[in-house]
C-alpha cells in the first residue's frame, strides 16, 4: 500500500501526460489508454461496480481493480488532474481524494449499453460483423468489448489469467484494442468430444461434460442463465458498449424456451438486435423474413435492423429488393455489405467441412484432419505464404506433400487410433527424414513412443497405445489438471529468435529429446525447456499453439521445405499479428462504408 501511495505522489507531481506509447508496458489494457495514473489515486475505492475483494496469497482479503478501466480514459484523467490542481492536493493520503472520487464517478460512470448481432443461419457473418463494429467503435474512441454467451468451438486461446476463451472473441477483443481478452467475453464455451457430448468450459475453466439433453435440461435452466447474466453485467459495468454475438440462428423454435445464446441473451442484457444474412447462400430476403417471423414477441421487437452481408454481385441490383423487404417486415435494412477479401481466423471446424485443399502456393503441405481436430487456426499463418494445404484423411492424401503438420486434437488417443486404422501412421513413418514433420499439442503427443490413457477412452475402456515413435517421449493423461498458459521464449534451433504461443492441453509428457524452445516467462515453473526436435530427421514437436504466428519458427520450418524448386525463400515472411491487424482494419473500412453507422450509434446511445 505504501508503494502505491508513493507512486501516486509521483503521478500527482508530474501531472497529466495522456497516452504514453513510449512506455515499455504500453498498452497495459487497451490501445489509446491514458497513462497518467498507472497507479490509481483512489485505490482502494471499494466500489463494487469497479472491483471486488479477493483472497490474497497469504489468505488475507485484498481489493482487486485489475478489470477497472475508468482511470485510463483521457476525459477522466484530465478531470481528475484538474481537480487535484484546483484543490492543491499534494499526496495520495489527502482525505479530499474521497470527494474527488465521488465527483468523478457521478460525472463519468455509466453502465454500458449492449447491441447484439444474430444471424439468419450459421456462417451468416456474425463474427465478422461484430469484429468490424468493435473496431469501428474503437476508432471512434469508445471503450468497447465483445461478448458471446455460448460458443461451440474447438478453436480456443489461453488468456493472461490462465483461462481459455474462443478464438473468435479473442480476435474481436483485438479489434476493440484490448490487450488482455478474458473469459467474461465468452463465459460458456462448448468443446465437442464426440457427436452428442461436449466439455463445458465456464468462465475459462472446465466445468463438466454434458450430452445434449443434459445441457438443455439441466445446465441451461440451472447455472447457465445466471452465468450469462453475471458476465454481461460485469462487462457493462466496465465498458461503454458491449457488442454481443449470437450463435447459429435465433429462430430455433424447438429449443427457444431454453435459449441463452441468442434472443435469450439479448433479453438478459436488454440489448437491441441486428440480424445479419449471408447473401451468398441464396434466398437472402426469405432467410431474413422467415427468421423474423419465427421469433415471438416481445423478442421480435428487439430486432431493429437487418444487414445483408457478403454480396458478390452488383450492390445496386441487390438493393432494388430492399424497399419491398422493409415494407413487408417493417424493419429497416441498415447495411448491404459487399464481399471483402479478408484473412481472419475461422471460428470452428465447420469452416473445413467438405474442404480438401486450400491455397495455391507451390509448396504442398499435408495437414492431418482427424475427426476431433482442434485449434486448426494454428495453420492460418501458413496461408500467407507460397503454400497449398491438403487436408489428409487417407494415406494417399500424403502423396506429393513436401511437409506435414499434425495439429491439435480434442482426443489424442482416439485420433491416434483413427490414423492407425487409415494407414496414415504407417505412411508418416515411411516419410520420416524425407520431409519436415511438425506436431502441435495433441499432434506432438502422437509423435512420442507411448500414449497412456489408463483412465480410459470415451467408452471407459483403458488404453495404453503406441505413438508414432518419432520422439523418446511418454505422455500420460490420467487426472492431470488441464494446462492453460501463455508463453514467450526463444527458438533453440536454426538461427534462434523470439517465439510466443500458448498451451491448452490435458496430459503430461516425459520427454528425452533435445528441446526446441526455451520458455522464459513460465508462470508456474520458471524458465524451462519445451518441445523436441531431431533436425537430422526433420522432426519437430511442441505443446505451443500459435507457434507459426511469429516469423522465427515459421521461417525455420519453411526453410526445410523443398518443393522441388529448391529451399523456400523466407525473406518476405511477416509476423501474423501485423497481417491480422491489417485485415481487421480492412474489414472495418468496408463495413463502415456500407452500413448506416448513424443509425447504429443511435441504437447504442439509446436514441432509438
Amino acid at each position: 500500500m505504501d508503494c502505491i501511495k508513493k507512486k501516486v505522489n509521483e503521478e500527482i507531481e508530474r501531472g497529466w501526460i495522456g497516452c504514453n506509447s513510449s512506455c515499455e508496458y504500453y498498452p497495459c489494457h487497451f490501445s489509446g489508454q491514458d497513462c497518467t495514473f498507472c497507479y490509481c489515486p483512489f485505490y482502494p475505492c471499494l466500489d463494487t461496480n469497479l472491483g471486488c475483494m479477493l483472497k490474497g496469497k497469504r489468505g488475507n482479503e485484498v481489493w482487486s481493480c485489475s478489470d477497472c478501466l475508468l482511470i485510463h480514459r483521457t476525459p477522466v484523467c484530465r478531470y481528475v488532474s484538474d481537480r487535484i490542481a484546483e484543490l492543491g492536493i499534494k499526496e495520495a493520503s489527502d482525505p479530499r481524494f474521497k470527494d474527488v472520487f465521488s465527483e468523478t464517478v457521478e460525472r463519468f460512470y455509466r453502465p454500458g449499453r449492449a447491441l447484439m448481432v444474430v444471424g439468419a443461419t450459421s456462417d451468416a457473418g456474425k463474427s465478422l460483423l461484430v469484429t468490424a463494429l468493435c473496431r469501428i467503435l474503437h476508432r471512434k474512441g469508445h471503450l468497447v468489448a465483445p461478448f458471446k454467451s455460448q460458443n461451440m468451438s474447438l478453436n480456443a486461446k489461453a488468456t493472461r489469467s490462465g483461462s481459455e476463451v474462443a478464438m473468435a472473441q479473442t480476435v474481436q477483443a483485438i479489434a476493440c484494442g484490448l490487450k488482455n481478452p478474458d473469459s467474461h467475453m465468452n463465459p460458456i464455451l462448448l468443446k465437442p468430444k464426440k457427436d452428442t457430448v461436449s466439455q463445458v468450459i465456464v468462465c475459462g475453466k472446465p466445468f463438466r461434460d454434458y450430452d445434449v439433453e443434459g445441457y438443455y435440461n439441466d445446465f441451461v435452466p440451472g447455472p447457465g442463465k445466471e452465468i450469462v447474466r453475471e458476465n454481461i453485467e460485469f462487462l457493462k459495468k466496465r465498458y461503454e458498449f458491449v457488442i454481443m454475438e449470437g450463435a447459429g440462428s435465433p429462430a430455433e423454435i424447438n429449443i427457444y424456451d431454453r435459449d441463452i445464446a441468442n434472443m435469450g441473451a439479448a433479453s438478459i442484457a436488454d440489448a437491441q438486435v441486428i440480424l445479419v444474412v449471408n447473401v451468398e447462400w441464396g434466398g437472402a430476403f426469405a432467410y431474413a423474413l422467415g427468421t423474423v417471423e419465427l421469433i415471438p414477441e416481445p423478442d421480435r421487437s428487439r430486432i431493429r435492423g437487418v444487414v445483408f452481408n457478403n454480396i458478390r454481385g452488383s450492390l445496386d441490383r441487390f438493393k432494388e429488393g430492399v424497399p419491398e423487404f422493409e415494407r413487408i417486415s417493417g424493419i429497416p435494412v441498415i447495411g448491404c455489405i459487399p464481399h471483402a477479401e479478408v484473412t481472419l481466423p475461422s471460428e470452428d471446424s465447420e469452416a473445413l467441412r467438405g474442404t480438401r485443399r486450400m491455397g495455391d502456393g507451390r509448396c504442398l503441405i499435408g495437414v492431418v484432419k482427424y475427426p476431433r481436430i482442434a485449434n486448426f487456426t494454428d495453420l492460418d499463418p501458413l496461408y500467407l505464404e507460397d503454400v497449398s494445404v491438403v487436408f489428409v484423411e487417407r494415406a494417399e492424401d500424403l502423396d506429393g506433400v513436401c511437409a506435414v503438420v499434425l495439429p491439435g486434437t480434442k482426443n489424442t488417443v482416439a485420433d491416434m487410433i483413427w490414423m492407425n486404422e487409415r494407414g496414415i501412421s504407417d505412411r508418416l513413418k515411411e516419410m520420416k527424414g524425407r520431409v519436415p514433420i511438425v506436431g502441435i499439442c495433441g499432434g506432438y503427443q502422437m509423435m512420442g513412443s507411448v500414449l497412456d490413457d489408463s483412465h480410459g477412452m470415451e467408452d471407459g475402456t483403458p488404453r495404453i497405445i503406441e505413438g508414432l515413435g518419432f520422439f523418446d517421449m511418454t505422455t500420460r493423461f490420467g487426472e492431470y489438471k488441464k494446462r492453460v498458459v501463455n508463453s514467450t521464449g526463444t527458438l533453440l534451433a536454426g538461427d534462434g529468435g523470439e517465439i510466443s504461443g500458448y498451451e491448452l492441453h490435458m496430459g503430461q509428457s516425459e520427454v528425452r529429446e533435445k528441446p526446441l524452445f526455451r520458455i522464459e516467462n513460465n508462470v508456474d515453473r520458471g524458465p524451462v525447456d519445451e518441445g523436441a526436435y531431431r533436425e537430422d530427421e526433420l522432426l519437430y514437436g511442441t505443446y505451443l499453439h500459435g507457434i507459426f504466428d511469429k516469423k522465427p519458427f515459421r521461417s525455420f520450418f519453411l526453410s526445410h521445405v523443398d518443393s522441388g524448386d529448391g529451399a523456400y525463400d523466407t525473406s518476405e515472411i511477416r509476423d501474423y499479428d501485423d497481417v491480422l491487424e491489417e485485415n481487421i482494419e480492412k474489414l472495418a473500412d468496408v463495413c463502415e462504408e456500407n452500413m448506416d453507422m448513424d443509425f447504429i450509434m443511435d441504437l447504442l446511445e439509446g436514441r432509438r
Side-chain angles (χ1 to χ4, degrees):
M1 192 67 179
D2 289 339
C3 176
I4 293 176
K5 289 183 177 180
K6 181 180 178 181
K7 292 291 186 180
V8 171
N9 290 341
E10 294 172 0
E11 292 170 343
I12 292 171
E13 184 176 357
R14 180 186 59 201
W16 179 78
I17 62 169
C19 180
N20 182 18
S21 58
S22 63
C23 173
E24 64 177 310
Y25 301 110
Y26 175 85
C28 291
H29 301 288
F30 59 94
S31 57
Q33 71 178 55
D34 194 299
C35 305
T36 301
F37 296 107
C38 282
Y39 295 84
C40 182
F42 306 126
Y43 184 86
C45 70
L46 304 182
D47 187 324
T48 54
N49 285 322
L50 304 175
C52 62
M53 297 299 298
L54 295 177
K55 185 168 289 188
K57 293 181 179 179
R58 299 177 182 176
N60 57 318
E61 286 198 329
V62 295
W63 178 251
S64 171
C65 54
S66 60
D67 295 303
C68 175
L69 304 176
L70 180 70
I71 199 62
H72 299 298
R73 297 171 57 188
T74 294
V76 177
C77 290
R78 291 302 300 262
Y79 177 80
V80 172
S81 296
D82 289 347
R83 289 296 287 146
I84 287 173
E86 288 172 10
L87 296 172
I89 295 175
K90 301 296 184 182
E91 293 186 350
S93 58
D94 194 309
R96 289 176 293 178
F97 260 127
K98 291 183 179 179
D99 295 331
V100 176
F101 175 70
S102 298
E103 295 168 8
T104 301
V105 169
E106 183 178 358
R107 188 182 184 96
F108 292 102
Y109 177 75
R110 298 287 184 277
R113 293 180 179 272
L115 177 70
M116 189 171 200
V117 176
V118 298
T121 61
S122 293
D123 200 26
K126 301 183 295 293
S127 294
L128 291 176
L129 186 56
V130 170
T131 301
L133 287 171
C134 286
R135 175 50 56 93
I136 292 167
L137 292 169
H138 173 62
R139 293 194 305 205
K140 291 178 178 292
H142 297 291
L143 197 56
V144 57
F147 180 81
K148 186 164 186 173
S149 59
Q150 170 195 293
N151 201 342
M152 177 174 281
S153 176
L154 286 175
N155 282 334
K157 194 167 186 178
T159 70
R160 178 183 62 174
S161 61
S163 300
E164 55 182 306
V165 63
M167 181 64 73
Q169 279 61 68
T170 301
V171 173
Q172 290 161 0
I174 292 171
C176 295
L178 299 174
K179 184 176 181 181
N180 300 306
D182 62 58
S183 59
H184 296 292
M185 299 168 186
N186 175 211
I188 302 172
L189 175 60
L190 309 179
K191 307 191 81 171
K193 298 182 71 173
K194 55 182 180 180
D195 288 346
T196 61
V197 175
S198 291
Q199 181 188 44
V200 177
I201 308 293
V202 172
C203 296
K205 305 295 183 183
F207 186 73
R208 59 166 289 187
D209 292 352
Y210 283 96
D211 60 15
V212 175
E213 185 176 344
Y215 182 77
Y216 282 107
N217 291 342
D218 300 330
F219 178 80
V220 170
K225 287 187 177 180
E226 191 56 33
I227 289 167
V228 175
R229 186 184 312 280
E230 288 175 358
N231 284 277
I232 189 63
E233 290 301 322
F234 179 92
L235 293 178
K236 287 174 70 174
K237 287 178 179 180
R238 287 158 175 81
Y239 295 88
E240 291 177 82
F241 303 127
V242 179
I243 308 301
M244 304 170 63
E245 179 187 340
S249 165
E252 303 290 356
I253 54 178
N254 56 316
I255 55 172
Y256 199 87
D257 60 332
R258 289 159 287 176
D259 168 51
I260 55 172
N262 290 293
M263 304 308 291
S267 177
I268 291 171
D270 192 23
Q272 307 280 34
V273 177
I274 295 173
L275 173 66
V276 61
V277 185
N278 187 345
V279 172
E280 191 169 42
W281 293 136
F285 292 114
Y287 271 125
L289 185 60
T291 300
V292 172
E293 290 294 326
L294 284 172
I295 295 174
E297 290 289 3
D299 287 344
R300 187 185 305 175
S301 61
R302 289 188 182 277
I303 301 179
R304 305 301 304 279
V306 174
V307 172
F308 290 102
N309 176 50
N310 202 24
I311 302 171
R312 291 182 181 269
S314 166
L315 283 178
D316 290 338
R317 181 66 59 83
F318 181 84
K319 288 178 180 178
E320 290 176 4
V322 166
E324 182 66 5
F325 171 81
E326 292 180 327
R327 184 190 70 78
I328 296 172
S329 69
I331 300 173
V333 173
I334 60 174
C336 291
I337 302 173
H339 173 78
E341 289 291 344
V342 293
T343 301
L344 293 172
S346 299
E347 185 164 15
D348 57 45
S349 58
E350 283 298 303
L352 301 182
R353 183 184 291 273
T355 301
R356 299 287 298 165
R357 188 165 174 155
M358 294 181 67
D360 55 5
R362 65 188 177 92
C363 297
L364 183 62
I365 296 179
V367 176
V368 180
K369 186 182 174 184
Y370 341 100
R372 300 160 187 84
I373 187 172
N375 285 77
F376 66 88
T377 49
D378 286 340
L379 307 173
D380 287 354
L382 292 177
Y383 301 137
L384 306 175
E385 308 300 335
D386 188 10
V387 160
S388 296
V389 166
V390 58
F391 292 101
V392 176
E393 298 181 79
R394 306 166 301 169
E396 51 266 38
D397 292 336
L398 289 164
D399 292 348
V401 303
C402 49
V404 177
V405 177
L406 298 171
T409 166
K410 182 61 179 169
N411 193 317
T412 303
V413 175
D415 282 344
M416 184 76 230
I417 292 171
W418 176 87
M419 287 208 308
N420 292 340
E421 293 173 343
R422 297 202 165 205
I424 296 172
S425 299
D426 289 338
R427 187 64 186 279
L428 290 173
K429 292 174 185 178
E430 294 171 5
M431 299 171 69
K432 184 182 73 169
R434 294 192 289 114
V435 302
I437 300 175
V438 60
I440 302 172
C441 197
Y444 172 41
Q445 292 172 338
M446 292 178 185
M447 294 178 75
S449 50
V450 177
L451 297 172
D452 182 352
D453 189 12
S454 298
H455 284 259
M457 293 278 288
E458 294 166 347
D459 61 0
T461 305
R463 298 281 182 103
I464 299 177
I465 67 171
E466 292 183 359
L468 290 166
F470 292 167
F471 295 130
D472 184 5
M473 178 174 81
T474 299
T475 299
R476 294 181 175 86
F477 295 94
E479 295 298 320
Y480 292 109
K481 183 179 178 182
K482 190 171 190 176
R483 184 163 174 78
V484 183
V485 62
N486 283 307
S487 297
T488 59
T490 305
L491 174 63
L492 298 178
D495 296 328
E498 178 187 352
I499 60 95
S500 65
Y502 57 98
E503 293 183 51
L504 198 66
H505 65 87
M506 301 294 290
Q508 186 170 304
S509 297
E510 297 174 13
V511 188
R512 297 163 290 275
E513 297 285 350
K514 185 187 298 184
L516 184 59
F517 305 118
R518 179 69 174 173
I519 305 302
E520 304 297 341
N521 71 327
N522 202 286
V523 295
D524 55 359
R525 291 182 279 188
V528 294
D529 292 333
E530 199 281 329
Y533 80 103
R534 294 185 180 182
E535 193 160 10
D536 56 335
E537 295 182 276
L538 302 176
L539 300 172
Y540 316 97
T542 178
Y543 268 121
L544 296 184
H545 292 289
I547 198 59
F548 287 121
D549 287 6
K550 286 193 175 295
K551 178 177 178 178
F553 183 73
R554 193 165 8 129
S555 297
F556 171 73
F557 176 68
L558 291 175
S559 69
H560 292 83
V561 173
D562 186 349
S563 64
D565 299 327
Y568 189 93
D569 180 8
T570 62
S571 60
E572 300 298 321
I573 288 180
R574 303 170 60 200
D575 278 357
Y576 184 63
D577 287 350
D578 296 335
V579 177
L580 184 62
E581 183 67 23
E582 290 174 5
N583 279 271
I584 290 173
E585 282 289 307
K586 181 179 178 181
L587 176 67
D589 288 343
V590 172
C591 290
E592 187 169 21
E593 183 179 342
N594 292 281
M595 288 195 302
D596 187 345
M597 284 306 302
D598 289 337
F599 185 98
I600 291 172
M601 291 308 301
D602 285 347
L603 289 180
L604 283 166
E605 293 174 351
R607 294 191 292 266
R608 286 183 183 267

